[in-house]
Amino acid sequence: MGVHPVPGGVEVAVLASHATGVDLCLAVDADGAPDGTTSERRVPLSGPALGVFSAFVPDVAPGARYGFRVHGAWQPEQGLRHNPAKLLVDPWARGLEGEMTYGPATYGHVVDEHCRGDVYGPADPRDSAGHVPWSVVVDVDALPGPDPAANRPWTPWDRMVVYEAHVRGLTMLHPEVPAELRGTYAGLAHPAVVDHLLRLGVTAIELLPVHASTDEPHLVEKGLTNYWGYSTLGFFAPEPRYATAAARQEGAHAVLAELRTAVHALHAAGIEVLLDVVYNHTCEGGMPGQHVSWRGLDNTVYYAHDGAVPANLADVTGTGNTLDFRRPEVIRMALDSMRYWADVVGVDGYRFDLAVTLARGADGFTQDHPLLVAAATDPALHGLKLVAEPWDVGPGGWRTGQFIQPWAEWNDRFRNAVRSFWLADPARAAHGLPGHRVRDLATRLSGSVDLFGHSDPPLVRGPHASVNFVTAHDGFTLADLVTYDHKHNLANGENNRDGSDDNRSWNHGIEGPVDQESPAAAVAPLRRRSIRNLFATLAIAAGTPMITAGDEMGRTQHGNNNAYCQDGPATWVSWDLTPWRRDLLATTRGLLALRRDHPALRTTRFYRGRAARPGGRLDLAWFDAAGVAFDHERWHDPANRTLQMLRAVDTDDEPLDVVLVVVNGRLEPVDVTLCGEPGDRWRVAWDSVWEHPDEQRSAAIAGALHTAADEETLLEPLSMRVYVLDPDG
């Protein structure tokens, strides 16, 4: 599909199975026109053949701008919305140029000056050319530079540390990135940024959507933008706004080349690139929405409808429309897009927004949906990382743990358990209320086998299928989780109605930031310890950790937990580090280094609670504060908020590695008798009471070895300590 350069011209193919005719519209700049107006050369395509209109069009070169106009019935009550007055973006376009505007001309049906009208009314006769971007012919075979797909790092899952970031937000405030590169693909690969990722311990950067996108009309009316980019206009074209001014001036091929160069540079540093992709819906919105691409080409094929008359869209995404993955044509579009970004741009995998939508068939979600099977078995995608956001907002939409291998999944149960244990439960305890039992935290620490262990054969997916996170782009930052009990989203213009109310956060008694000169400043150290507890739990848990950009440096969004429309300092990563933020960055680096250096913290297999070889160590064991093994009663005791987790790698072909994690979730200190085998000697590797890892060298408990079973140690309230077995102890 799409328009592709070949010797002597271009080959064109476009799906419009209900249309009577399709014109390829080639932009012709008016010679000498003072207003820069553009006329069109229209070429009728042949067809349809199997629903596809096609042609070879001579004398069209790379860089040519084009669109489609589609002829056919205007019967909106039947779902047919063909309107040749509207210039349509090619869904397969490799590049886009020009701005998308919001106004009556971009609607297929007649609307008033406020863009309101009868969605089943007559077709609007106004020409939309000049109000929608042009698609651009791009010769991908002529792109400069090395092939980024040829130097992929191929990082094993057990070594993965994912860093979720926004191309623009990551570099806009970076003092070492030149001004002309900030907020761009080129800035993403600047040595200062790459050095930060490497020193942090990141192995993969997961980019929020870089597919071309638009701003929703309701945001345009408020003077806001869709900063996150979850409003796709093209599944093959990179977002031009993230390219340097020089690349944009040169054209669509240069925008694509800049992104490819950035991917290659990250690969050269050993960092993989994952894309957050939004195949579940498009920017055209619901029934009253704009008419810019899929709606005008083949509305009843691309979009899921509810089966009623008059025709109405089905919506399981919360955006007004849902791409219909019961249709082979829609599956093909998504797969073609994935192959393209893998082969041409060189990306290493994908995070699929609202992935349940992609696996909805006639009877709802199905594990063996053609899209899931094809993505897992396609030779062009073999070995790439496939990560599902395992929910949507439709019936039966929560499906965490139910995707097939080799898919991994965002683990929302991990997020909820960790926030509850370290924040929501202590907040309740401060008011004399009960919290959650410790067993849920233990399950998440050990890899969430309850969610990801169900397979044929059992346990084959492994703990890496659980992408563990405490924060993501959607919600509070890590610093805001410990600073706000309530969302503060007034800047979004929706009277604070938007965003989740289930934050499981804790302001530690005072809402918002505190003045360091006031008595309220006493909560600041407690907040910092809570951040360290949250991050340490993420770092030492079995599974694949994902960090949100800036959390390692205490980034705040000032309590906004739905900052999708905020493109400014509130969402950009701040690199101006105060002392406590420098300490937090050092702590983050130290914890990820601890994970990297200890196989017991990044196992490739689910723990079974038994030895891997005769006479070997148990791979997982649990003990209470007295060093007594957990039994059924202890797991179900709501008053028990202290545990010891012992994890070991002890096989014939791997060196012995044993780690002991001790957790105190109580509001008071607890004496702990260290567990382990007779003669075990433990060395403290990290303690959440330390503001900076250098405190290990001066801490009284750090210099000595601690003997299991006969030595008692004190754990501060709401703290975590990590011990490693001294091999010579």
Side-chain angles (χ1 to χ4, degrees):
M1 296 291 180
V3 177
H4 305 288
V6 295
V10 292
E11 289 183 344
V12 184
V14 58
L15 176 69
S17 60
H18 291 84
T20 58
V22 177
D23 295 334
L24 172 69
C25 302
L26 296 162
V28 180
D29 293 331
D31 188 18
D35 59 356
T37 55
T38 301
S39 60
E40 297 175 14
R41 169 192 167 201
R42 299 187 182 182
V43 181
L45 304 183
S46 300
L50 300 178
V52 176
F53 289 81
S54 62
F56 167 76
V57 183
D59 301 323
V60 178
R65 295 174 297 158
Y66 69 95
F68 296 116
R69 295 185 187 272
V70 179
H71 305 267
W74 178 265
Q75 297 174 347
E77 70 282 356
Q78 302 297 323
L80 302 178
R81 294 179 171 270
H82 304 105
N83 186 344
K86 308 305 173 183
L87 184 71
L88 303 178
V89 171
D90 178 8
W92 267 258
R94 270 47 174 171
L96 298 178
E97 289 184 5
E99 297 295 324
M100 177 78 184
T101 63
Y102 169 55
T106 60
Y107 288 79
H109 59 286
V110 174
V111 297
D112 61 20
E113 66 274 16
H114 302 292
C115 299
R116 298 181 179 90
D118 180 4
V119 296
Y120 300 107
D124 182 83
R126 286 167 284 201
D127 195 329
S128 66
H131 300 277
V132 297
W134 288 97
S135 306
V136 182
V137 178
V138 176
D139 185 359
V140 298
D141 293 330
L143 290 169
D147 178 7
N151 69 333
R152 285 196 176 104
W154 296 112
T155 305
W157 272 105
D158 68 302
R159 296 279 183 172
M160 286 283 287
V161 176
V162 181
Y163 189 84
E164 188 198 38
H166 189 285
V167 169
R168 181 169 166 81
L170 182 60
T171 60
M172 280 299 292
L173 299 177
H174 201 300
E176 297 180 46
V177 176
E180 67 273 13
L181 301 185
R182 293 175 188 168
T184 70
Y185 299 123
L188 186 69
H190 187 274
V193 178
V194 173
D195 179 67
H196 174 77
L197 298 176
L198 292 176
R199 294 181 65 196
L200 190 60
V202 165
T203 70
I205 186 167
E206 180 179 300
L207 300 177
L208 267 67
V210 299
H211 290 170
S213 63
T214 66
D215 300 322
E216 292 89 334
H218 77 274
L219 293 178
V220 176
E221 289 180 342
K222 298 172 184 174
L224 300 172
T225 62
N226 188 326
Y227 170 68
W228 288 348
Y230 290 88
S231 188
T232 307
L233 179 59
F235 293 118
F236 295 79
E239 173 52 57
R241 291 176 295 180
Y242 301 154
T244 57
R248 295 197 304 272
Q249 180 67 30
E250 191 175 345
H253 72 286
V255 171
L256 179 59
E258 182 179 306
L259 175 55
R260 275 172 41 105
T261 300
V263 172
H264 184 273
L266 289 163
H267 283 176
I271 298 171
E272 293 189 319
V273 179
L274 312 182
L275 298 187
D276 192 336
V277 288
V278 191
Y279 295 125
N280 57 83
H281 74 279
T282 77
C283 68
E284 291 185 306
M287 291 288 287
Q290 294 169 292
H291 188 108
V292 296
S293 185
W294 303 268
R295 176 167 285 142
L297 287 166
D298 216 336
N299 182 54
T300 59
V301 168
Y302 280 118
Y303 292 125
H305 286 68
D306 63 5
V309 178
N312 193 22
L313 294 176
D315 179 16
V316 299
T317 66
T319 67
N321 71 62
T322 301
L323 284 168
D324 192 350
F325 280 88
R326 297 170 300 182
R327 302 281 193 170
E329 297 87 348
V330 175
I331 295 172
R332 176 183 177 181
M333 180 177 65
L335 288 171
D336 281 355
S337 172
M338 292 161 59
R339 296 184 191 105
Y340 173 76
W341 287 90
D343 293 342
V344 175
V345 184
V347 303
D348 304 282
Y350 307 93
R351 178 267 188 188
F352 297 85
D353 181 66
L354 301 183
V356 169
T357 299
L358 280 57
R360 283 188 179 272
D363 298 319
F365 174 83
T366 176
Q367 287 184 313
D368 58 355
H369 189 281
L371 187 281
L372 301 187
V373 174
T377 58
D378 190 297
L381 306 175
H382 180 69
L384 301 190
K385 273 68 175 192
L386 305 175
V387 180
E389 182 184 39
W391 52 80
D392 65 16
V393 301
W398 185 82
R399 298 285 176 169
T400 305
Q402 298 180 38
F403 282 70
I404 59 174
Q405 67 174 107
W407 287 71
E409 305 173 41
W410 274 24
N411 188 350
D412 56 319
R413 292 281 293 273
F414 180 94
R415 174 199 63 200
N416 293 348
V418 174
R419 290 187 182 189
S420 292
F421 185 84
W422 288 117
L423 300 177
D425 287 356
R428 290 174 58 83
H431 295 87
L433 300 173
H436 293 77
R437 295 175 176 86
V438 74
R439 59 180 183 172
D440 195 16
L441 179 71
T443 303
R444 306 305 148 217
L445 284 170
S446 55
S448 296
V449 68
D450 62 327
L451 297 172
F452 302 99
H454 303 285
S455 57
D456 185 14
L459 308 182
V460 72
R461 293 182 72 187
H464 68 259
S466 174
V467 176
N468 299 330
F469 66 104
V470 178
T471 66
H473 65 276
D474 186 2
F476 280 146
T477 67
L478 202 60
D480 287 354
L481 274 177
V482 305
T483 307
Y484 298 93
D485 276 0
H486 309 287
K487 63 188 181 185
H488 296 264
N489 297 356
L490 286 174
N492 297 351
E494 299 182 40
N495 295 317
N496 214 39
R497 292 190 301 266
D498 64 307
S500 175
D501 292 313
D502 183 18
N503 296 297
R504 308 187 189 207
S505 58
W506 182 28
N507 65 16
H508 294 71
I510 299 172
E511 186 77 355
V514 295
D515 186 338
Q516 294 305 307
E517 302 302 320
S518 74
V523 305
L526 302 177
R527 288 176 172 178
R528 295 197 295 269
R529 184 186 300 181
S530 289
I531 292 176
R532 294 191 294 271
N533 286 331
L534 292 166
F535 195 89
T537 307
L538 177 65
I540 62 97
T544 303
M546 185 186 78
I547 308 164
T548 305
D551 273 353
E552 74 277 18
M553 297 178 288
R555 184 175 73 91
T556 177
Q557 292 178 170
H558 311 292
N560 192 325
N561 75 348
N562 189 36
Y564 77 104
C565 56
Q566 301 298 321
D567 184 3
T571 52
W572 300 342
V573 173
S574 173
W575 301 85
D576 183 13
L577 302 185
T578 57
W580 83 265
R581 289 186 169 94
R582 284 195 295 271
D583 288 345
L584 178 59
L585 177 58
T587 295
T588 304
R589 290 170 175 166
L591 284 166
L592 292 179
L594 186 68
R595 178 186 179 87
R596 181 192 63 228
D597 295 341
H598 288 278
L601 294 179
R602 47 178 178 80
T603 180
T604 59
R605 297 178 291 269
F606 281 117
Y607 299 103
R608 296 171 181 262
R610 58 176 183 256
R613 62 180 180 83
R617 295 266 184 165
L618 299 182
D619 61 2
L620 176 67
W622 302 97
F623 302 86
D624 66 9
V628 177
F630 263 77
D631 55 18
H632 179 82
E633 182 178 349
R634 287 181 175 85
W635 281 123
H636 292 271
D637 181 1
N640 181 29
R641 298 273 298 170
T642 307
L643 61 78
Q644 301 184 67
M645 177 182 68
L646 194 152
R647 292 188 353 206
V649 171
D650 185 10
T651 66
D652 292 331
D653 54 359
E654 295 179 271
L656 175 68
D657 184 58
V658 187
V659 174
L660 173 63
V661 179
V662 189
V663 171
N664 178 19
R666 302 180 66 87
L667 296 179
E668 59 276 340
V670 172
D671 289 318
V672 175
T673 300
L674 299 182
C675 65
E677 297 183 0
D680 281 352
R681 305 292 297 278
W682 298 108
R683 189 181 302 277
V684 177
W686 183 80
D687 195 314
S688 68
V689 302
W690 300 342
E691 294 276 1
H692 190 285
D694 284 349
E695 293 185 32
Q696 178 182 13
R697 288 192 284 269
S698 59
I701 61 171
L705 295 176
H706 304 270
T707 306
D710 61 2
E711 187 165 337
E712 197 172 77
T713 185
L714 181 72
L715 248 67
E716 294 295 325
L718 298 178
S719 67
M720 174 189 296
R721 189 179 299 160
V722 181
Y723 295 86
V724 296
L725 185 69
D726 188 275
D728 301 319

